[in-house]
Structures are given as structure tokens and as C-alpha cells.
Amino acid sequence: RQRRQRRQKGGMEAMSGGGPVGVAVVGAGNISTQYLQNLTRFPDLRVLAIADLDESRAAAAAAEYGVPASGSLADVLAMPEVELVVNITIPAAHAEVALAALAAGKHVYGEKPLALNPQSARAVLAEAAERGLRVGNAPDTFLGAGLQSALRAVASGAIGTPVAGAAGFRSPGHGCRHP
């Protein structure tokens, strides 16, 4: 209930109860640019580390975005202040990285797919449930920059009291592209 009240006030307080959520990004490939541009702008998140199999690539990304640490997956999972792992590795590594993060006591948000097969996905979700941790997965429509900024604007009163809302597609919708 307290977390819901904090979110309704417009902030995503730390999962531990106060302050920004400590984040480690795992995967410093092409998609990391978009993630790091956004994650480093949110006041309720603090990107603490970047990990990659190519640790020099992780170090370069950390330097570019002002992230204080970089290294291996084991390095970032050992950081107690990291609460959430953003898993943007290749799909074949999604379940393995998620399971390692969960075993280290970290919440996980991953790029799609959650895993390459239903058994691996169920293993990730079972591990999270057993440890009382959360798992989220792309697409990040509801957790993305646009809607989170709108939530902050509404919660802060910057737009006054909303009295109506509308949404629309400029296409037939997602269903036309995905069976």
C-alpha cells in the first residue's frame, strides 16, 4: 500500500523504501544507447553500473553516460546498492542473466523475449516468486519515458486536475503485425 501511495505521488521510490532505485545495466550493445539515454535522465533511478562480456565496451558506455562503475556480470551483481538489473543482453542469455540477478537478490527488467522457451521463462518467474522479487519485460510501454513523464506531470499538478483523457492509433494497431 505504501509503495502504491508513493507511485501515486509521482515517484518510484527505491524498492527498499526510500531514494532512487539503484540500477545495473547488463549488456552494452546497440540497444544500450537508447536505454542509457533514458535511464540516466530519470530522477527516481540511479544507474550505478554497466556490465558486458566485453568489459572495455561496458567501461566506454559507463564513461559516456557518467555511470560510476563497469565490469562483469558478477561485479555488478555483487554491488549491494544495485536493486534492479536491466537485462539487455542477447536473447539467448536473457534467462541465464535473469536467474543470476534473481539469485543475487536483484529485481529484473529485461528486453524481449523473457527467455527463448517457456520452460526457461517459467524458471525465471518461479525463482522470482520464491525470492519475493519482481520481473518485468519489454515492451516498456507503461514504464517508458513518455508515460512516466506524463505520470509525473499529473501527480505534481503541473497540468491541473485531469477531467478527461483520450488515446488513438494511427494504424490498425499491433494486432496487424503480430498474430
Side-chain angles (χ1 to χ4, degrees):
R1 181 177 171 179
Q2 289 174 339
R3 184 174 317 259
R4 188 177 333 121
Q5 288 171 338
R6 283 194 301 266
R7 286 200 177 124
Q8 287 171 347
K9 292 178 183 174
M12 190 174 131
E13 298 280 333
M15 295 171 161
S16 63
V21 175
V23 175
V25 173
V26 179
N30 291 334
I31 191 84
S32 69
T33 300
Q34 185 173 8
Y35 271 86
L36 289 165
Q37 284 173 350
N38 288 310
L39 291 173
T40 56
R41 290 180 182 163
F42 286 124
D44 45 8
L45 298 177
R46 202 174 60 166
V47 181
L48 300 170
I50 301 173
D52 196 274
L53 288 174
D54 179 346
E55 292 183 33
S56 65
R57 184 166 55 181
E64 182 176 350
Y65 291 96
V67 175
S70 66
S72 69
L73 176 61
D75 293 337
V76 303
L77 294 182
M79 297 175 68
E81 60 275 19
V82 169
E83 299 175 79
L84 172 68
V85 169
V86 175
N87 180 6
I88 52 175
T89 58
I90 62 170
H94 286 182
E96 179 183 347
V97 170
L99 288 168
L102 293 166
K106 315 298 184 187
H107 302 279
V108 176
Y109 177 84
E111 190 45 75
K112 60 188 176 297
L114 177 60
L116 291 184
N117 59 62
Q119 297 83 3
S120 296
R122 282 196 274 291
V124 169
L125 296 177
E127 184 74 15
E130 183 177 318
R131 294 178 179 276
L133 296 168
R134 299 196 177 230
V135 173
N137 212 76
D140 68 348
T141 308
F142 297 102
L143 298 175
L147 290 179
Q148 289 299 307
S149 296
L151 176 64
R152 275 191 197 87
V154 170
S156 72
I159 66 165
T161 301
V163 294
F169 280 100
R170 292 202 274 172
S171 71
H174 297 5
C176 68
R177 294 188 304 262
H178 299 289

